[in-house]
Amino acid sequence: MIQSLNKVLLALSLLSLQACVGNCPPHKVSQLEVISQKKPSQQVEHIVFLWLKEGSSAADLQTILNESKALNSIPGITSLRVGTALKSERPIVDDSFHVGIVMTFQSPTDMKNYLIHPEHQRRVKETFKPLAAKILVYDIVLD
């Protein structure tokens, strides 16, 4: 919501600046300066893919899903979504993973605090690593 509002305000500012190009007094800032001064969003998407070990059961999969959802109690997470791979015939799609987790944090600092939180550490050590053959993580700073 805040991101959308910031984009609207930036657009309105740019329109105002564009309307006065050539007519503005010399002390006004240019559009380029306004854009370059805009503080980039620091929200972070933390995306985790998990492959279960060979011979894992449906109960193991459910355990991973439940434990992943329970991570939402850790401070700093603004959004948490957990699910399984959507099977696809498209060659570009990697649907080989079993569980996908998408988390949003307001800042890289919030994500770092989450990563060292005792509840996260415990679940990684006691549940995720023992049941997973592979864990792959992507962290993305949102624009």
Side-chain angles (χ1 to χ4, degrees):
M1 181 73 166
I2 292 174
Q3 264 187 328
S4 297
L5 183 57
N6 285 341
K7 287 180 183 179
V8 169
L9 291 174
L10 178 62
L12 290 173
S13 298
L14 291 175
L15 286 172
S16 297
L17 285 172
Q18 193 172 26
C20 76
V21 169
N23 300 322
C24 294
H27 67 278
K28 298 285 184 181
V29 294
S30 71
Q31 287 179 354
L32 184 57
E33 289 173 307
V34 170
I35 293 170
S36 66
Q37 291 173 6
K38 179 184 178 266
K39 185 176 179 180
S41 169
Q42 290 296 300
Q43 273 194 324
V44 175
E45 289 284 319
H46 179 66
I47 305 166
V48 180
F49 297 98
L50 189 140
W51 287 258
L52 294 173
K53 288 183 177 176
E54 187 76 28
S56 293
S57 66
D60 292 334
L61 174 62
Q62 194 58 54
T63 297
I64 294 285
L65 293 169
N66 292 343
E67 289 292 309
S68 298
K69 291 173 187 173
L71 292 169
N72 204 34
S73 66
I74 298 174
I77 299 172
T78 59
S79 173
L80 172 71
R81 295 169 312 277
V82 178
T84 57
L86 175 65
K87 297 302 175 193
S88 176
E89 298 297 321
R90 298 170 43 217
I92 196 168
V93 175
D94 179 357
D95 60 2
S96 65
F97 65 95
H98 295 100
V99 176
I101 307 164
V102 180
M103 296 180 196
T104 306
F105 297 91
Q106 277 303 116
S107 70
T109 301
D110 286 346
M111 186 184 74
K112 288 177 187 174
N113 290 335
Y114 157 81
L115 292 172
I116 61 172
H117 193 280
E119 280 302 305
H120 172 259
Q121 294 290 316
R122 182 183 66 75
R123 283 184 172 87
V124 167
K125 181 180 177 183
E126 295 176 8
T127 304
F128 301 138
K129 283 188 176 180
L131 294 175
K134 176 181 173 182
I135 300 173
L136 181 63
V137 177
Y138 292 98
D139 293 324
I140 302 168
V141 176
L142 299 179
D143 185 28

